[in-house]
Amino acid sequence: MSKFYIILLVFIFPAFADELESCGNNEQARLLVKLITEDKDQNRTNIRCNSILTEAAVAKAERMAEFGLVLHNLGGSPNSRLREIGYKLPEHYGNEFDSNQVEAIAGGYSSAEGVWDAFKRSKSHRVHLLGEHEFYVEQDEIGVAFIKKWKSPHVEYWVVYLTKGYQKNQSYSGNSDDIPNKSLFILKQSKE
């Protein structure tokens, strides 16, 4: 009987480790995922890791570091960027240049705890990441990136993609005029 339990544990833990790795590109990114998903004020009941979102987050963080900018519309809108790499967003998510129902970014924060505290103090980020608006509550897939580039102005760059996984024939039951758009909201830590 004890051999069965040992074998079962060997098969469970590698799968769990793979799932965590698909949430973030490194330990700090995965810690931010944990802080977001396990926050006492989180309104979602289930958030799944998505490796496509993590890959997109890494590419965005690297681009921000390359240009030294913390900017949502660097290379197109966050929504269009996900669509371009093959991630299927719901049709009611915006297509305009400033459409952003999926991305939270920050620069200059050296730890997951520090950037999470800043995200929670920013109303638009908190509402998105904690699902405080009915539109965001249905978002159930996440991918996070954290990179450091010492010769770039902000040094640390964070990207969180949190969005709704695609389902055929999905629609938004709320008022379409009430769909939030956070394209103008970014967080930059001042280096004092």
Side-chain angles (χ1 to χ4, degrees):
M1 187 74 136
S2 63
K3 289 181 184 178
F4 174 74
Y5 291 119
I6 293 171
I7 291 171
L8 184 61
L9 288 175
V10 168
F11 287 112
I12 290 173
F13 285 123
F16 184 67
D18 288 344
E19 167 132 353
L20 286 177
E21 286 183 19
S22 70
C23 274
N25 67 318
N26 57 40
E27 185 178 331
Q28 282 296 304
R30 290 186 290 274
L31 177 56
L32 180 55
V33 170
K34 184 177 179 175
L35 292 170
I36 292 169
T37 59
E38 295 179 4
D39 191 280
K40 66 179 180 54
D41 295 322
Q42 181 58 255
N43 290 294
R44 297 172 183 92
T45 55
N46 184 36
I47 301 174
R48 300 181 311 276
C49 299
N50 184 298
S51 61
I52 294 172
L53 293 176
T54 298
E55 290 170 21
V58 170
K60 174 65 181 276
E62 288 173 349
R63 188 170 180 99
M64 290 193 310
E66 175 186 345
F67 287 93
L69 298 170
V70 180
L71 185 65
H72 286 296
N73 296 356
L74 189 60
S77 77
N79 292 5
S80 67
R81 192 173 311 103
L82 290 184
R83 287 182 172 118
E84 286 169 8
I85 64 165
Y87 187 90
K88 291 185 176 186
L89 288 176
E91 290 180 18
H92 57 275
Y93 280 45
N95 290 311
E96 295 77 25
F97 181 73
D98 66 346
S99 294
N100 179 16
Q101 286 81 38
V102 299
E103 181 183 82
I105 58 177
Y109 296 89
S110 60
S111 71
E113 294 89 347
V115 77
W116 181 230
D117 182 57
F119 279 145
K120 287 184 11 176
R121 284 185 281 117
S122 163
K123 182 178 180 191
S124 65
H125 288 90
R126 185 185 71 248
V127 169
H128 174 217
L129 297 175
L130 290 175
E132 293 179 348
H133 186 286
E134 68 178 31
F135 178 84
Y136 291 130
V137 170
E138 64 184 14
Q139 294 182 331
D140 59 356
E141 292 191 344
I142 193 168
V144 176
F146 169 65
I147 66 164
K148 280 187 176 186
K149 187 172 182 182
W150 290 105
K151 294 185 179 187
S152 190
H154 303 285
V155 181
E156 298 95 356
Y157 296 85
W158 296 87
V159 178
V160 177
Y161 283 117
L162 182 54
T163 187
K164 182 174 182 170
Y166 181 79
Q167 299 166 349
K168 192 174 182 177
N169 299 323
Q170 64 189 9
S171 62
Y172 179 56
S173 60
N175 181 348
S176 62
D177 292 334
D178 193 32
I179 293 176
N181 185 10
K182 39 196 266 333
S183 71
L184 300 177
F185 299 100
I186 59 174
L187 289 176
K188 291 186 244 179
Q189 176 71 20
S190 60
K191 301 285 184 181
E192 297 163 349

